[in-house]
Amino acid sequence: MRIDIITLFPEMCETVLGESIIGRAQKKGTVELHAHQLRDFAFDKHKRVDDTTYGGGMGMLMKAEPIALCFEHLCEELGTRPHLVYMSPKGQVLTQQRVRELSALSNLVILCGHYEGVDQRVLDEYVDEEISIGDYVLTGGELPALVLTDSICRMIPEVLSDDLCFEDESHYNGLLEYPQYTKPSVWRGKEVPEVLLSGHHANIEQWRHENSLLETAEKRPDLLRKVSLSDRDRQFLQKHGLL
Ligand SMILES: C[S@@+](CC[C@H](N)C(=O)[O-])C[C@H]1O[C@@H](n2cnc3c(N)ncnc32)[C@H](O)[C@@H]1O
């Protein structure tokens, strides 16, 4: 998969995405990531990418033309019209389900806003989807674009050492992950649950599933209402007074 980020701060994106698991995935060629300097597509004397808003107001707004030119350039380079996401606090809040769907695309372009945001006309013309990373406002779209890129890349086969890594994780199946422990088996008098040391795979699986249910019921009961529970799950939660 290839992801292109349109931004005023390409170094910020490249630095973060060049590290750790995503950095290694890029080196292996499992994912291809590019950050494009929007200013390179501003062709007026001062290379302006922003201007004042019509109707008045304090802040500056990103101009339509450089964004359109950058996206059109990418369409030409890719030989296809990629899906364009604008990171925006007005968008649908990102979910693991949407991350999974987006990770199936071959190409994705992400537009980062700045200042007061972006001229509506270029959003109407080219943007397929607006995505938010939560109901709060940041200074720019770079951190949200990095969140989206990271979450998508780790779903791509061979980016993580084992695909089961994410299949067990919080949100993948609608539940939160069970608690986890590493060595030593006793830390400051606190013991790891005995079943996890037993080597009995079926019992460990059952403990993990039940504790996944407990975590979700206690921390995010709203999620529990959205998943389909088996009769056994219901009985287990009822026994703990959580349903
Ligand atoms: C200061 S914000 C603009 C907010 C805009 N004036 C509004 O009220 O909706 C600047 C840029 O940061 C990005 N941004 C801020 N908060 C975000 C969020 N929660 N999710 C995704 N992008 C966000 C967007 O790209 C936005 O264009």
Side-chain angles (χ1 to χ4, degrees):
M1 181 182 191
R2 172 171 164 165
I3 300 179
D4 291 87
I5 302 176
I6 302 176
T7 168
L8 292 173
F9 302 95
E11 295 82 8
M12 181 175 168
C13 301
E14 285 159 359
T15 302
V16 174
L17 297 171
E19 294 287 334
S20 185
I21 295 170
I22 309 299
R24 287 199 293 278
Q26 286 196 73
K27 285 198 190 104
K28 276 199 298 184
T30 320
V31 292
E32 192 181 337
L33 309 176
H34 300 274
H36 304 274
Q37 173 53 267
L38 187 60
R39 243 172 251 288
D40 294 344
F41 295 86
F43 295 109
D44 68 308
K45 206 165 63 184
H46 303 289
K47 284 190 160 279
R48 278 197 83 156
V49 289
D50 61 305
D51 215 324
T52 52
T53 50
Y54 281 116
M58 297 273 285
M60 305 295 273
L61 205 62
M62 286 170 71
K63 289 161 75 72
E65 188 63 4
I67 293 170
L69 290 176
C70 184
F71 185 63
E72 286 158 3
H73 165 81
L74 284 171
C75 293
E76 219 165 282
E77 188 181 315
L78 295 166
T80 184
R81 200 288 195 191
H83 190 74
L84 176 61
V85 168
Y86 169 48
M87 302 314 302
S88 162
K90 296 186 198 170
Q92 286 293 311
V93 175
L94 187 61
T95 60
Q96 191 64 39
Q97 175 59 28
R98 191 65 194 129
V99 167
R100 253 161 96 175
E101 290 159 2
L102 290 171
S103 72
L105 297 175
S106 308
N107 292 101
L108 177 68
V109 178
I110 305 174
L111 171 63
C112 305
H114 223 79
Y115 315 116
E116 274 304 303
V118 173
D119 188 309
Q120 188 62 40
R121 291 168 295 183
V122 73
L123 300 181
D124 293 343
E125 183 72 14
Y126 282 131
V127 168
D128 299 300
E129 179 177 9
E130 296 192 17
I131 293 181
S132 164
I133 61 160
D135 291 338
Y136 46 83
V137 178
L138 299 163
T139 54
E142 285 70 22
L143 290 172
L146 291 169
V147 167
L148 180 62
T149 304
D150 185 288
S151 62
I152 290 175
C153 286
R154 66 196 298 286
M155 302 295 290
I156 293 170
E158 290 171 43
V159 168
L160 299 182
S161 52
D162 185 340
D163 289 351
L164 290 174
C165 289
F166 60 69
E167 289 179 12
D168 251 14
E169 274 176 331
S170 300
H171 302 293
Y172 189 84
N173 61 4
L175 297 175
L176 301 182
E177 195 179 44
Y178 44 83
Q180 299 191 89
Y181 305 87
T182 185
K183 293 175 184 69
S185 58
V186 183
W187 175 76
R188 297 192 180 183
K190 292 177 194 291
E191 292 181 7
V192 168
E194 211 178 317
V195 61
L196 299 180
L197 309 175
S198 68
H200 191 301
H201 295 300
N203 287 354
I204 292 172
E205 274 318 300
Q206 189 185 340
W207 182 91
R208 286 181 165 167
H209 181 65
E210 288 175 354
N211 278 273
S212 204
L213 289 169
L214 289 178
E215 283 283 284
T216 313
E218 281 162 8
K219 295 181 177 166
R220 291 289 303 276
D222 57 310
L223 294 179
L224 208 55
R225 286 191 284 276
K226 292 183 206 154
V227 291
S228 62
L229 298 170
S230 67
D231 290 344
R232 195 171 164 178
D233 292 344
R234 290 185 173 282
Q235 279 163 13
F236 175 78
L237 288 167
Q238 274 158 1
K239 194 176 91 190
H240 285 81
L242 292 166
L243 201 67

